[in-house]
Amino acid sequence: MAPSSITLVTVEALLNLLVVEWQKCRRSPMGVPISGVKANDHSALISLRPLIMDEGCPRNFNDFYSKAKLLSALENRKVAFEWYSRTRLYYGCSSVCVIFTEFVVPELMRRGINTLPVSSFGEEGSDTIHLKNIKIKEIKFTPINGKVHTLRMTHAIFPPNDFQVEMGSHNALHCSETDRIFDPSIGQLTGVMKPKMVRSEQQYVDEFPGNVIIIYDSPQSDIQAQKLRDANESRIHKNAEIHPSRIAKRVADAFLSSNGTASFCDHCLGLPSSGSKLLRCGNCKSEYYCGKSCQVIAWKSHRTKCQVTLD
């Protein structure tokens, strides 16, 4: 399986693949939107019918929006996408970062991949990063101006479980030799799906969607505890395919293959809808989308790249 339309073997491409594979395997339900009440521009109460990917969860944003647009709080496509991203990534920062450093990196190094370039689109110059120098950072923060996003997961048996960002911790990846930071799950706070990359820790703090209290190296005890939790998921559900080591192997296989087959949406990182193929940009023919909804939202950011590709 090829890494979508990505032809450059970069850290960003690798993180995209990891998020795609992690979504497919996570056992914490994502789900179908069933109700929504918008309080203001930064707060809403969104109820979902929890489902995991292999039990009918929307495979991509286009599937999600076909239900969400019927709800008053989610009828706006852009707002619905922000909530889609939060439902996909919530409580995922630690798991994704640990799988990357503790499983994906060792898997690639076993295959002789020790360094990777960083995409330099829109920047001057580029970096080559030694994978062994990427470590996990922990960020303690509070929201800016009291902006709070509330997500309510509802279930027929269990009581509602509110995910509310009021004060908390977050995890990201930091390269000690270049000071770059990669955040594969920033979208649980900002409502985007694709990982974010910034040039320095200071830039990351300045742009973080909250007041950063402290940022520090994640303790080994926390990393080992997350590894154990993720491994236990595989044991509890009696499914070896969701073990972090298996996820890492599939990510590495996809990352190193190049058969030209698009496997996920370039905007929402979702899988093709059942029985459907991804749509390809008719201009540059290098970006793929799950449907019109993602293509429309992505055009603002894709336009420049699309024109450069044509030139």
Side-chain angles (χ1 to χ4, degrees), residues 22 89-102 136-138 169-173 183-185 188 218 222-227 229-230:
W22 176 78
L89 297 171
Y90 86 110
Y91 288 147
C93 57
S94 176
S95 182
V96 173
C97 286
V98 168
I99 293 174
F100 183 86
T101 61
E102 304 301 301
I136 301 174
K137 287 284 187 178
E138 186 155 340
S169 62
H170 185 68
N171 293 104
L173 300 167
D183 193 334
S185 58
Q188 69 173 334
S218 187
D222 290 354
I223 294 173
Q224 294 305 314
Q226 185 63 56
K227 285 178 65 175
R229 286 194 294 271
D230 289 340

Side-chain angles (χ1 to χ4, degrees), residues 3 9 12 19 35 46 74 87-88 94 99 111 113 144 159 182-183 191 193 203 228 231 243 268-269 280 304-305:
V9 183
E12 293 93 327
V19 172
S35 69
I46 308 299
L74 297 175
T87 64
R88 292 294 164 124
S94 176
I99 293 174
R111 303 186 190 202
I113 307 298
I144 293 177
F182 305 88
D183 193 334
M193 278 303 301
Q203 181 185 352
L228 182 60
H243 192 281
C268 74
L269 306 184
R280 186 167 65 170
T304 302
K305 180 180 178 182

Side-chain angles (χ1 to χ4, degrees), residues 24-266:
K24 290 161 56 178
C25 296
R26 72 175 303 187
R27 309 306 294 181
S28 299
M30 293 171 284
V32 177
I34 55 177
S35 69
V37 178
K38 184 178 180 181
N40 53 56
D41 289 341
H42 305 289
S43 181
L45 187 62
I46 308 299
S47 294
L48 302 172
R49 179 163 59 89
L51 293 167
I52 57 177
M53 190 66 77
D54 57 5
E55 292 180 357
C57 182
R59 293 170 63 83
N60 52 56
F61 175 66
N62 208 59
D63 288 352
F64 180 90
Y65 188 57
S66 68
K67 305 290 185 183
K69 65 184 180 182
L70 303 177
L71 308 175
S72 61
L74 297 175
E75 58 189 356
N76 179 279
R77 185 185 283 113
K78 184 176 182 295
V79 172
F81 185 79
E82 292 174 355
W83 284 104
Y84 169 86
S85 301
R86 294 184 186 108
T87 64
R88 292 294 164 124
L89 297 171
Y90 86 110
Y91 288 147
C93 57
S94 176
S95 182
V96 173
C97 286
V98 168
I99 293 174
F100 183 86
T101 61
E102 304 301 301
F103 295 94
V104 173
V105 168
E107 180 67 29
L108 287 175
M109 292 179 70
R110 279 195 291 271
R111 303 186 190 202
I113 307 298
N114 297 299
T115 63
L116 285 177
V118 175
S119 173
S120 59
F121 183 77
E123 298 179 354
E124 294 183 2
S126 61
D127 296 322
T128 297
I129 286 178
H130 288 82
L131 294 175
K132 67 179 182 180
N133 291 327
I134 298 179
K135 307 297 181 183
I136 301 174
K137 287 284 187 178
E138 186 155 340
I139 304 98
K140 299 294 185 183
F141 71 96
T142 58
I144 293 177
N145 299 326
K147 296 177 182 177
V148 175
H149 296 289
T150 302
L151 168 67
R152 171 163 289 187
M153 301 295 288
T154 61
H155 195 282
I157 300 175
F158 302 107
N161 176 29
D162 283 0
F163 166 64
Q164 193 171 52
V165 181
E166 292 180 330
M167 179 180 292
S169 62
H170 185 68
N171 293 104
L173 300 167
H174 177 250
C175 178
S176 58
E177 62 180 328
T178 65
D179 201 32
R180 287 193 185 256
I181 283 192
F182 305 88
D183 193 334
S185 58
I186 189 66
Q188 69 173 334
L189 303 174
T190 61
V192 299
M193 278 303 301
K194 300 188 82 168
K196 178 178 182 177
M197 183 273 291
V198 296
R199 283 189 169 275
S200 68
E201 182 176 311
Q202 186 58 55
Q203 181 185 352
Y204 181 76
V205 170
D206 292 342
E207 297 179 0
F208 191 82
N211 295 306
V212 175
I213 301 170
I214 186 173
I215 180 169
Y216 57 95
D217 292 338
S218 187
Q220 270 301 314
S221 58
D222 290 354
I223 294 173
Q224 294 305 314
Q226 185 63 56
K227 285 178 65 175
L228 182 60
R229 286 194 294 271
D230 289 340
N232 282 341
E233 285 284 296
S234 174
R235 178 182 57 80
I236 292 170
H237 295 284
K238 298 179 180 179
N239 184 352
E241 294 306 308
I242 67 174
H243 192 281
S245 61
R246 294 288 186 92
I247 293 175
K249 184 179 185 304
R250 292 193 296 274
V251 169
D253 287 344
F255 186 63
L256 298 175
S257 69
S258 57
N259 62 15
T261 302
S263 61
F264 61 86
C265 175
D266 279 300

